[in-house]
Structure formats: structure tokens, C-alpha cells
Amino acid sequence: MKRCNVLLLAPRFPAATFWNNKATCEAGGARHSAIPLGLLTVAAMLPPEWTCRLIDRNIDTVGAADVAWADLVMTGGMIVQRPDCLDVIALAQASGKPVAVGGPDVTSEPKYYGHADFVVIGEAESVIQDFIAAWESGERHGTFTAEKFKADVTTTPVPRYDLLKRGDYLYLAVQFSRGCPFTCEFCDIIELYGRRPRVKTATQMLAELDAIRLSGYRGHVDFVDDNFIGNKKAVKEFLPALIAWQKKHDYPFVFSTEASVNLADDEALLALMRQAGFFVVFVGIESPDGDTLTAMQKKQNTRRALGDSIARIHRHGMFVIAGFIVGFDSEKASIADGMVDCIEDASIAICMAGLLTALPNTQLTRRLERENRMFPEDWSQKKLREGGDQCLLGLNFETLRQRRDVLADYKSLIDRIYSPSAFFGRVSRAARQLDCFWPARKPVPGAKPPRRVLGLARGDWAVLYRLLRAVMRRQPLLMGYYVKALLDCQRANPGALQAVGTMAAFYLHLGPFSRIVSREMARQIAEIDNGRWRAPATSREIVTPRAEGHVRDRFVA
């Protein structure tokens, strides 16, 4: 096997996005939030004779010497990373270095990456050996297409966590499953990974956690699954092994993940996740309106009272981050009021509220194309190059409601849920519901018990000090809100103080970001009011409900 120097370059996220939370990272003593898990996993699939280096462009710059060292550059990412991913390809090729690109955006729209030297479409496990063989035989161009939903994740190796710089990231990450059993119209997960969740073995997962633990890391680990409970049977088989592992190693980690709201229906599963150390769950609520949920094929959210479901998750020690979307065809004029009421009643402090975006190859996009309502690709590409995510770049289609009304509803929602008083009020209410799980630590032989002040150990106080120092630097006028939320929690439920600190730290990013979104919505609304908005050319032919087989009684040409 020939030697090969591989430079793995993780593309930048745009600055103005929900997830690019540099200010929150600062409060946690980190430089960026999430690790490039996909690139680390691919690196682990390469021959051991190949030498790998990782540069995350969200943290570091790429120098000429870095590129000169490489025989091969590898990159890839999500749709919002596309502009920088294309820049990475140009950077490498300008130095005469071949580039291999893969990942979810390449898989969804490979046409934008055809100029790369190697293009990998689909999951790498299925084609990595073909790629390696091609490289070893001297080929320097090629496209490798994996059969959809066929990758055997039980063969996926432990990611190359050793390539990371310790301390750069707010949390580390693992993946247990791929795929989701639901059929939400707007979602591309089922298009990328299928509806039958494929899971790793418990032995695999514990090996990944061991690799992280042996690196010396302690703290937050995210299960990046798009629906952690998509295969409930497998999860329930895995969690007891995870609990035993946590006990054996004195609980080195706390966990977060994403799950469908039906998690709240299963008390046994909630109890297992609590005991395993899960402390936060992202849940896609999308809309409080039952008709809208039905129309988007998210019927699982209509079968339960959402407020009660969130409260049940909170009572098991996990606070909820929730996703909401504005812009569905069946929305009513009161949608902003309904969303605000839902968020406030359920005490959901952190909400990822975005505009509906028709993603490539989804059921939604195919329907809008049949209805001749999709904006042309050059419009979407221009917006993507301007930077941002679905909070700024959504509604890439002709809406049924007046576009101005949709934008006004979204602006109203953002303004109301991210005012300081509303946000920190929800933090305090959620704190009272949380029954956090804090395992008893094993005593160190011969050592004195750790000194605690107001129920907190020195390390906990260090975390809160870092938070308040970041507040003083970035939001000094809001210090009172932070201190009040922490003191309220200390009095009412001190066991939730770390969770409250985490929720509060998000506002370092979400407060300023919400104002960016609000100003952009105001600009777009003014553009419409002043007659400067012209919808990109789309075919105006109306496709009748009878021909399409579903009801669209408010389609206005």
C-alpha cells in the first residue's frame, strides 16, 4: 500500500446561522460548537499507511504549507456549507492538488460538485474501498455512487477523534443510527438515509465512547442521530449497556440528541435516557396547528398534547430544544400567536424557528415543482452565496398566503420569543420542571470529599463564572436577567443549575442573532411594500387538486 498524505478540510458555516454560536462557545471555553464527524469517520476508513491531518475552517485558516503537504484533499458538508466547500475545492485545485468531495449536500445535488476530481455520492462505507483502489491504481478522477440505504453501519469504524485539537469544541459527537421511520414532507433525511433506521451495535458505540474517554475528554457528547428513537427496540437494547458503561467509568459524559416527540409517550425509554445521562433533546414540533401538521405528513405530532409531552420530557431531566417552521400552505393568519402560545405554555426556552425551505429531492420540492411554484435555481444559489440558513434564506417558492404576511408572522414570532424577558422567563419555568439526574461520584481513595458551596462543586462554579464573564463582555446590560435566572433556579431547583446555565448561554448567540433575523425580515417586508419585490419567474399554470390527488383549496395564481 502506497503512502498518501490526506488533508481533511471542514468547510465553514456562514456567520449568521442558528448553529454558528461563537458567543455561546466562548462561554463554554471553546472555539466552535460541533466537530466534523463525517470527515473524522471517513478518515478512519482510509488505509493505516495514509497520514491524515484535519483543519476545520470554522476554527483555523489553511496555509500554503498545509496544501503543499497534501497528496489529496478531502472535504464535504451540508447545504449551508456549500459556498465554502466550493472555495476549498478551488483552493486545492489552484495548487494542483486533487480533491475528493462527499457528504449530504453532494449526495443531494452532485451537479454543483462535478468539477471536483473525485465525487462520492451516498454513504462512504459502500464505496470507500473502490475509491481507495482507484487511487492506488493511479486514477485521479472518478465518481463513486453508493446504493441508497444499503451501507452497513455495523462496519463503520471508530472515528479519528485523535485528529481533533482538544478544547476547540463545545462538545464531541457520536452517531448511533441513520434514517427515520416518519415521512415528513419537507424533510430530506428519509431521502438521504431511508425510512428503516440502521443502527450500530452496543459494542461499537461503547468503543467510540472509550476512544473519547481515553483521550482525556470529559463532558458533553452529542448523539447526532436525526431521530435517536427511530428504532425504539434497538435503543432500548443499547441504553442498559450505556448505563452500565457510564457507571463503570464514573459517568464521564452527559448526552444530547434529537428525537421525535413520541419519545414522551414511553416512560420506560425516558427513564433509561435519564439514567444514561441525557440532559437535552431536540424535538421537531414545526407547528401547533393540527391541519398544518397533517398536511406536512407529521401526523405523529397530532396524536398528543404537545405541552404535556414537553413537560413529561422535562420531568425526566432533559430540557427540550424545539424546531418550528413558518410558511406552510395550510397556515392560518394567527400562526404566530399560536406558536408563541405553544412555546410559552410548554416553557421551551430555545427554539429553532425558521422559514420553510424546499430542500432538494424532498416530497415538498417535488410537489412544488409539479405545481410550478419553485423559484429558479439561480435565485436559490444567489441567496446561498449571500450566507445564512433557513432563518434568512427560506421561502424559495411561491407561497399560497401573501409572502408579506408570512414574513410578518415570522418576524413577530422571532421578536416575541427572543425578547430577554420572554426567553429568561421560559428558562426559569423550565428549570422548575427539570428533575435532573446527577449520579453519586465514586470517592477517590484517601482524598477529601470535594468542597461544595451552595450545593455546587468548584468545577460547576468555574462554568458559571465563565458564563457570566462572557455576559459582561457581550451583553452587560442584560446581566440582571442571567443572574435572576440562576438565583431563581438555585432557590427552586438547584439540581437544574447546570441546565439553566446551558440554556442561558445560548442567549449570548440567540439574542443578537434574533435581531439579525428581525432586521432582515423587516427589509424584505419593506421591499414588498415599496414595490421592489418581484417574484422570480415561475410558470403560472395552476395544477388542479383533482389531477394531483390532494386538496389545495387556497391556491391563488
Side-chain angles (χ1 to χ4, degrees), residues 471-522:
V471 174
M472 278 301 300
R473 196 170 84 81
R474 291 178 175 269
Q475 298 177 351
L477 298 180
L478 300 181
M479 177 63 79
Y481 288 102
Y482 287 88
V483 172
K484 182 178 184 297
L486 293 169
L487 290 177
D488 283 351
C489 181
Q490 177 61 32
R491 286 191 293 264
N493 184 11
L497 199 55
Q498 286 191 2
V500 167
T502 300
M503 286 187 276
F506 267 89
Y507 197 72
L508 289 164
H509 169 64
L510 293 175
F513 179 61
S514 67
R515 292 190 291 274
I516 291 173
V517 173
S518 181
R519 287 195 297 270
E520 174 59 18
M521 294 306 104

Side-chain angles (χ1 to χ4, degrees), residues 329-330 373 397-402 552 554-556:
D329 287 351
S330 57
R373 293 168 55 194
F397 58 93
E398 186 175 340
T399 59
L400 291 194
R401 280 206 297 150
Q402 291 294 320
R552 295 192 305 282
R554 294 188 298 150
F555 194 99
V556 180

Side-chain angles (χ1 to χ4, degrees), residues 51-92:
T51 302
C52 294
R53 291 183 187 173
L54 170 72
I55 297 179
D56 188 339
R57 282 164 61 90
N58 296 284
I59 296 172
D60 294 316
T61 57
V62 181
D66 298 312
V67 180
W69 168 85
D71 299 312
L72 171 67
V73 173
M74 286 185 161
T75 190
M78 299 186 294
I79 187 170
V80 295
Q81 295 173 285
R82 182 187 298 171
D84 196 59
C85 192
L86 296 177
D87 286 347
V88 166
I89 296 172
L91 172 69

Side-chain angles (χ1 to χ4, degrees), residues 161-173:
Y161 297 111
D162 60 292
L163 297 176
L164 298 172
K165 295 179 182 177
R166 281 183 57 188
D168 275 352
Y169 295 94
L170 196 59
Y171 53 85
L172 300 191

Side-chain angles (χ1 to χ4, degrees), residues 193-435:
Y193 305 116
R195 290 191 56 206
R196 295 184 60 186
R198 290 159 287 142
V199 302
K200 294 178 181 177
T201 66
T203 300
Q204 274 181 288
M205 291 310 308
L206 298 184
E208 294 186 18
L209 294 174
D210 266 324
I212 296 173
R213 180 184 64 85
L214 292 172
S215 75
Y217 177 82
R218 300 291 184 271
H220 178 189
V221 174
D222 183 43
F223 278 81
V224 300
D225 304 39
D226 295 294
N227 188 352
F228 182 65
I229 66 166
N231 185 332
K232 275 192 177 184
K233 181 176 182 291
V235 171
K236 286 185 174 181
E237 291 173 352
F238 165 59
L239 286 174
L242 178 59
I243 293 167
W245 185 92
Q246 286 269 69
K247 289 179 178 177
K248 177 181 177 181
H249 299 293
D250 204 17
Y251 279 84
F253 304 136
V254 293
F255 301 115
S256 60
T257 194
E258 180 174 347
S260 45
V261 75
N262 59 311
L263 166 65
D265 302 342
D266 196 324
E267 289 282 345
L269 181 53
L270 285 167
L272 286 170
M273 289 180 66
R274 178 180 183 272
Q275 193 176 358
F278 283 83
F279 77 108
V280 57
V281 179
F282 182 97
V283 174
I285 292 178
E286 321 312 356
S287 176
D289 180 67
D291 291 341
T292 297
L293 290 170
T294 299
M296 71 173 83
Q297 298 175 202
K298 203 174 182 86
K299 293 181 180 179
Q300 66 269 24
N301 283 22
T302 67
R303 302 181 184 123
R304 52 196 49 83
L306 293 174
D308 292 343
S309 295
I310 301 305
R312 198 172 301 120
I313 296 172
H314 282 171
R315 288 196 298 272
H316 284 80
M318 294 171 277
F319 72 82
V320 170
I321 300 175
F324 289 85
I325 301 175
V326 178
F328 289 103
D329 287 351
S330 57
E331 282 177 354
K332 301 175 179 64
S334 59
I335 190 62
D337 293 338
M339 285 188 177
V340 171
D341 290 344
C342 175
I343 291 165
E344 291 292 328
D345 292 345
S347 301
I348 305 169
I350 302 167
C351 303
M352 184 181 179
L355 290 168
L356 181 62
T357 304
L359 296 171
N361 304 314
T362 57
Q363 299 171 79
L364 172 63
T365 297
R366 291 190 287 270
R367 175 169 66 83
L368 292 173
E369 287 172 343
R370 291 195 301 270
E371 296 171 359
N372 302 305
R373 293 168 55 194
M374 282 294 298
F375 289 169
E377 290 187 23
D378 58 353
W379 184 90
S380 297
Q381 291 310 302
K382 178 177 181 295
K383 290 293 184 180
L384 193 61
R385 288 192 298 271
E386 292 172 357
D389 58 8
Q390 70 281 2
C391 300
L392 297 172
L393 309 181
L395 301 186
N396 56 340
F397 58 93
E398 186 175 340
T399 59
L400 291 194
R401 280 206 297 150
Q402 291 294 320
R403 190 179 187 87
R404 187 198 188 283
D405 294 344
V406 177
L407 296 173
D409 279 338
Y410 183 52
K411 183 180 186 304
S412 173
L413 172 67
I414 293 295
D415 290 342
R416 290 156 71 182
I417 64 175
Y418 281 119
S419 72
S421 58
F423 178 86
F424 284 97
R426 296 194 303 273
V427 169
S428 292
R429 294 196 302 276
R432 296 188 185 98
Q433 296 178 358
L434 289 170
D435 182 11

